[in-house]
Amino acid sequence: MSKGKVLIVGSNANKVEIQGGGWGATGQYLNETVVPAMAVIEAGYEVVLATPDGTKMTLDAASDAAAHFGGDEAAYKRARQFWDSDPVMNNVRTLQSVIDEGLDRYAGVFIPGGQAPVVDLMQNAELRTILQHFHEKAKPTAMLCHGPISVAAAMPHAREFRAALIAGDPEKAKEWARGWQYAGYKMTVFSATEEKYVEDNILKAKIYFDMPYALRTAGGEVIINPKDFAPHVVEDRELITGQNPASDHPIAEKLVAALNRTTA
């Protein structure tokens, strides 16, 4: 018997804008998606995956390695099989269809990382509706790595906020962020120094803004672990955020505990 439904919101972006013009390849991280999803299922919940256009997310090639599973080849293969073949990962809904069906039936929501959410989710109008519901109902709302940038979608003017960040205009961005439901929340996100490592070694280019800067500009109280790529999770009210790929198991534990408290 299912203890309830948990919504996973994925991105449809497979490229991200880079400074100087052009695009860099991106997607969503394997371990960041699969580890929390499998933990939630193991805890007795049903998982529903939805994306803006109802198609499956692109796997970020940088995440497709056993290194993100502590070098455990068996764990990596289980994760890859879940991503490739499990119905949860392949019966993808649109965000709008989930809203139309009714958000009351969901006990919690989770958004994984990879740079993809920086492109579409942080300015998605359907996600705004979803985040407003989970905020008003105080239901567990978990996001990992770059996933926490998705909280910007809850702004009435998320698109304008993102455009101001890209234009390098923080004062205008602050204006567009007024009325944000997460202002004053403690949260974490992929750090600027972690981002620099990805830019230098994987993307080979710079994106337009780093995640802590964006969330602080919006009014969030961003708490970063100064040790790069070490596990770090922050929980404040309904919002549970993890800093980086190494936070996959810790955020899964926090999310399951929050779900159990609210559904008991």
Side-chain angles (χ1 to χ4, degrees):
M1 184 88 179
S2 171
K3 293 161 74 173
K5 286 186 177 182
V6 175
L7 178 64
I8 295 182
V9 175
S11 166
N12 289 128
N14 58 20
K15 57 186 180 179
V16 60
E17 303 101 322
I18 55 176
Q19 292 187 27
W23 299 81
T26 192
Q28 301 225 242
Y29 257 51
L30 177 63
N31 68 305
E32 294 178 18
T33 305
V34 167
V35 169
M38 293 176 74
V40 166
I41 292 168
E42 187 175 343
Y45 295 88
E46 179 185 349
V47 168
V48 175
L49 174 62
T51 65
D53 70 11
T55 62
K56 190 173 178 177
M57 306 96 73
T58 297
L59 179 65
D60 191 318
S63 73
D64 192 16
H68 292 290
F69 298 85
D72 185 336
E73 286 286 346
Y76 160 66
K77 288 178 181 176
R78 283 195 300 272
R80 189 59 204 259
Q81 183 177 20
F82 183 85
W83 176 284
D84 290 339
S85 305
D86 195 280
V88 165
M89 296 300 300
N90 292 282
N91 296 336
V92 188
R93 305 276 302 277
T94 64
L95 296 182
Q96 189 60 57
S97 74
V98 168
I99 294 167
D100 292 343
E101 182 183 65
L103 295 171
D104 284 330
R105 66 186 63 203
Y106 291 92
V109 62
F110 171 66
I111 304 177
Q115 289 173 325
V118 182
V119 181
D120 58 354
L121 293 187
M122 74 175 288
Q123 56 179 338
N124 183 273
E126 289 83 15
L127 183 56
R128 179 189 178 202
T129 299
I130 291 167
L131 292 178
Q132 286 177 331
H133 169 85
F134 283 88
H135 173 71
E136 290 166 2
K137 302 292 185 181
K139 296 179 183 179
T141 304
M143 306 177 187
L144 179 56
C145 197
H146 288 82
I149 197 64
S150 302
V151 292
M155 298 174 188
H157 300 285
R159 288 183 179 275
E160 293 87 348
F161 172 76
R162 184 178 186 273
L165 292 175
I166 290 175
D169 190 342
E171 293 309 312
K172 183 61 71 174
K174 287 176 184 177
E175 289 180 24
W176 289 123
R178 286 177 185 166
W180 186 44
Q181 66 189 27
Y182 298 110
Y185 271 64
K186 293 179 175 67
M187 58 187 72
T188 193
V189 70
F190 202 59
S191 75
T193 51
E194 290 167 334
E195 196 78 74
K196 187 176 187 307
Y197 176 86
V198 172
E199 290 173 332
D200 291 348
N201 297 282
I202 299 173
L203 193 61
K204 308 292 186 182
K206 293 187 179 298
I207 60 175
Y208 279 94
F209 55 87
D210 67 67
M211 304 305 107
Y213 164 76
L215 293 179
R216 286 175 178 139
T217 300
E221 185 179 338
V222 182
I223 304 167
I224 296 296
N225 184 345
K227 184 177 180 182
D228 286 350
F229 300 106
H232 180 56
V233 176
V234 173
E235 188 169 2
D236 186 357
R237 287 159 279 188
E238 82 277 9
L239 188 64
I240 308 166
T241 49
Q243 181 171 324
N244 48 37
S247 306
D248 55 356
H249 287 283
I251 200 171
E253 292 170 7
K254 291 278 191 182
L255 175 56
V256 168
L259 289 167
N260 288 342
R261 286 196 304 271
T262 56
T263 59

